[in-house]
Every structure is written in C-alpha cells, then in structure tokens.
Amino acid sequence: MKEWTQEEEAANLKRLLSSVGNKAQFAKDNNVPGGASMLSQHQSGHRPIGLEAGLIYAKALGVSLAEISPRLAKMVEDVPKLTSSPNLIQSNVEPALELKKSRRVPITGSVRGGDEGYLVQDTTPDGWVEYWTGDPHAYALRIRGDSMHPRYRAGEFVVITPSIEAQPGRDVVVKLLNGKCLLKELNWIRGDEIQLLSINNGYAPMTIPKEEVECICRVAGSVGPDSMVF
C-alpha cells in the first residue's frame, strides 16, 4: 500500500472521526497521548500520528492500523524482520556467567606442619575472610610457617567447604578420631582405606583405614592475607 503524506493521514483521520461527537471525551476515554489537544493536531496535520496514537485510534474506531496510516502499518510489519536480523540481534559472544557473591567465612584457627605430616593446630578464632562459596558451614584456617610452601604460603588462608564432597585430586583436611589432623591431597578412596599425598612431597603417601577417619573435608581454595576482614 502506498504511504500517505502527513496531510493525507490527517484528512483521513478527520474523516474517520467525523462520526465522533465529543472528541475531547473520545481522547480522554481512549487515553490518546497528549489528549484532545494532540488529537486536534493529528487531524489538522500539524503533528504526525505516532505509533501509539495510531494503534489507539484503530482500536477505538474499529478499523485496521493500515486504515489509519499505511506508514505505521508497514512499520509494524517490519518489526519481526528487524528482530530476526542476525546483524541486529544475534551475537557469537556468549553471555557472561553471573559471578557468585562473596561471603564472610569465619577463620577458626591456624595450622602449621608438624611431625610426620600431621598439623599443629591453634583453634583461636581470628576474624573472617571474603570467599565465594555457597557452603554455609565453610571455614578458613590461617597457614603458619613454610612447611606447605610453595602451594600454601605463610599468612595465607585455606577455605574448607565440608558440605561439598571431596574428590580424588583435591586437597583435603582430614580429621582423625584420635584428634590428629592432616592437610593433604586426596589420592584415592578404595574399600576401607584412603590414601593421602604430601602437599610438598616431603612425606611418603599415607594410607589410612576409614575406620580411623572422623571426616574428610574439601579444600575449596586459598586466599591471601588481604582477604581478611574484621
């Protein structure tokens, strides 16, 4: 359909509205943008009919949008073409993953390497660290000394997430029923035994019966001293 000039659209609208007695009330009842004043300017040709007003006129008068304005009807027809255009909508860049929010994880004490690979623990609470985890039972331990260097340096914090099952190849904190504690790499779990590897290769692999283990807690990662908050 041939598009009309602004004057032709105005004349057509005036014709369609000729049967409307109270145009001010018509504009109010149908929420014409700009009210009766804008309606008057539309039918006089002083202002072009916008899409919102055109849709309102069409609905109120019981006609198609093309009968109000072929220009507006074509605009609506072109919308699906525009939104399906690969140049406008599609992208080969995947949306960025939403980052988890960090939370405060309590520092429950500190550890350092002791005899035979066991940890020497200090269970004095010492503030919090900021870490990205959803485990509500997560806690952190401060590393003291250089026995676990270079993987963990003095002053860093390891964050433990006991609610998440530890898998072979991950560092773990293993608590034994006799009260001793280890920070090792979980090598394997077979039958009634587990095997742990030294963090810095300072000790031979350690195989422990499961019946002697109180818990195996996954190490989620480590953070530097500047992650500490008070």
Side-chain angles (χ1 to χ4, degrees):
M1 180 181 292
K2 177 181 176 294
E3 292 188 17
W4 298 337
T5 65
Q6 187 169 316
E7 291 73 22
E8 288 174 326
E9 286 187 357
N12 178 67
L13 180 62
K14 186 175 182 179
R15 177 182 61 80
L16 292 171
L17 289 170
S18 61
S19 60
V20 176
N22 189 333
K23 294 181 176 58
Q25 190 63 44
F26 173 89
K28 182 179 179 181
D29 291 344
N30 293 284
N31 297 315
V32 174
S37 174
M38 186 61 68
L39 185 150
S40 177
Q41 293 183 66
H42 285 160
Q43 67 175 357
S44 67
H46 291 155
R47 294 287 295 271
I49 302 171
L51 181 58
E52 182 181 4
L55 291 169
I56 290 174
Y57 292 146
K59 182 177 180 182
L61 295 170
V63 298
S64 68
L65 183 60
E67 293 175 86
I68 298 294
S69 166
R71 169 181 58 87
L72 295 177
K74 185 176 186 303
M75 185 186 301
V76 172
E77 287 179 1
D78 288 341
V79 168
K81 300 175 185 176
L82 291 172
T83 56
S84 64
S85 171
N87 293 328
L88 294 178
I89 300 299
Q90 297 180 6
S91 171
N92 61 355
V93 178
E94 294 185 1
L97 295 175
E98 183 179 352
L99 294 178
K100 296 180 180 178
K101 293 183 178 179
S102 64
R103 57 183 292 266
R104 287 189 170 191
V105 174
I107 303 167
T108 61
S110 62
V111 293
R112 61 181 174 84
D115 296 337
E116 299 179 2
Y118 292 101
L119 295 177
V120 177
Q121 302 179 73
D122 176 359
T123 57
T124 304
D126 193 18
W128 294 266
V129 294
E130 288 283 343
Y131 197 78
W132 293 262
T133 177
D135 186 351
H137 303 295
Y139 62 93
L141 296 171
R142 184 196 295 270
I143 300 296
R144 296 194 181 278
D146 298 321
S147 61
M148 294 177 238
H149 185 276
R151 190 174 305 183
Y152 302 123
R153 301 173 184 274
E156 291 183 340
F157 299 92
V158 289
V159 178
I160 292 89
T161 50
S163 299
I164 302 174
E165 183 180 1
Q167 299 294 329
R170 294 297 301 247
D171 289 351
V172 292
V173 170
V174 179
K175 295 182 180 179
L176 303 180
L177 293 173
N178 61 9
K180 292 183 177 182
C181 191
L182 299 143
L183 175 51
K184 301 278 190 180
E185 179 184 330
L186 180 61
N187 192 28
W188 49 253
I189 302 175
R190 297 176 186 169
D192 297 329
E193 293 181 325
I194 67 169
Q195 187 177 83
L196 305 172
L197 303 178
S198 174
I199 293 292
N200 60 1
N201 297 319
Y203 297 91
M206 181 181 292
T207 302
I208 304 173
K210 279 186 181 179
E211 61 183 17
E212 296 179 8
V213 176
E214 179 181 339
C215 65
I216 304 173
C217 299
R218 175 181 177 269
V219 173
S222 63
V223 292
D226 57 350
S227 298
M228 186 177 182
V229 292
F230 298 92

